[in-house]
Amino acid sequence: MGRGGQPKDRTDGPERKCIATGEVQPKHGLIRFVIGPEGQVAPDLAEKLPGRGIWVSADRAALDKAAGKRLFSRAAKQAVTVPEGLTDQVETLLAARVINLISLARKGGGAVCGYEKVKAKLAGEEARVLIQASDGSERGKSKLSTPYQGDFIGWLTAAELGRAFGRQTVIHAALDAGGLSKRVVEDAARLKGLRVSDGETARRKGK
């Protein structure tokens, strides 16, 4: 039940509590960690590793706080080892996960790249997600618009997008509705919490 005795809205799925902020939110906005056999904190992005999950908001400040304030030890009720640069490690793993999901969508025929192909997808109202490289030309990117009631991802670099499509660089891409698009959007949203984009380069918060 929520405040005032009203049923809690669970349309966004199961909820978990962040050990850094204390907030309860849908788990797709958090990152699950487990404690390995030797007491080391390990990210579990697929949420499949055995053991009790420890959840942290997908936010650079929250992860830095959890790692620096011994919050993992408190949550696990035991001494644990936090790897050096854990936040950066999670960002790298999340980026790789998003790139892999886009690649799988491409292989399944649910993703295209290139200005003209993306423009055609948008014009035909087939695209659900518009993806544009953070370091692409703002003038070129402004010519394409996010689909109505769709999603926009703009914090992957051209090189990262290129890896998803087997090319050196990619500036524009689009995902069809259904398939892997929901997973791409959710994992990309988590990645965004660890990055900011000024339109020219993907940077970590605070940098």
Side-chain angles (χ1 to χ4, degrees):
M1 301 292 283
R3 292 183 179 180
Q6 296 298 316
K8 297 190 73 173
D9 181 1
R10 297 190 182 277
T11 56
D12 285 335
E15 297 179 330
R16 298 292 185 270
K17 184 176 181 179
C18 171
I19 64 170
T21 67
E23 296 178 355
V24 176
Q25 58 180 300
K27 70 175 186 177
H28 63 70
L30 298 99
I31 297 166
R32 183 179 190 262
F33 294 85
V34 296
I35 308 302
E38 298 182 1
Q40 185 174 57
V41 174
D44 177 24
L45 301 183
E47 300 173 12
K48 293 182 178 180
L49 293 177
R52 176 176 174 271
I54 298 173
W55 299 82
V56 183
S57 297
D59 176 80
R60 177 162 287 269
L63 278 172
D64 284 343
K65 179 180 178 181
K69 300 290 186 179
R70 302 179 63 82
L71 300 185
F72 284 107
S73 292
R74 185 182 304 173
K77 298 180 180 179
Q78 68 179 77
V80 303
T81 301
V82 179
E84 187 72 25
L86 178 63
T87 305
D88 290 339
Q89 176 188 343
V90 172
E91 178 185 348
T92 298
L93 290 172
L94 266 176
R97 183 175 172 84
V98 173
I99 291 166
N100 183 59
L101 285 171
I102 296 173
S103 178
L104 290 174
R106 170 183 64 85
K107 293 173 183 176
V112 298
C113 70
Y115 179 82
E116 293 300 333
K117 288 184 179 180
V118 172
K119 182 180 178 181
K121 280 279 188 181
L122 293 170
E125 299 184 351
E126 300 174 58
R128 174 71 175 76
V129 184
L130 173 63
I131 309 173
Q132 293 183 310
S134 60
D135 48 352
S137 164
E138 287 302 308
R139 181 177 179 181
K141 291 192 294 183
S142 66
K143 296 178 181 179
L144 299 175
S145 300
T146 303
Y148 176 67
Q149 293 188 332
D151 292 286
F152 174 73
I153 298 171
W155 43 95
L156 292 170
T157 66
E160 287 173 330
L161 267 181
R163 292 204 297 274
F165 288 91
R167 301 186 180 187
Q168 186 171 358
T169 59
V170 166
I171 303 299
H172 311 281
L175 300 179
D176 292 345
L180 295 169
S181 62
K182 183 175 185 292
R183 289 173 59 189
V184 172
V185 169
E186 288 184 352
D187 278 334
R190 292 197 291 173
L191 177 62
K192 185 181 181 181
L194 305 179
R195 289 184 172 179
V196 293
S197 172
D198 62 5
E200 294 181 356
T201 179
R203 302 180 302 175
R204 298 186 180 94
K205 291 183 179 180
K207 295 294 184 181

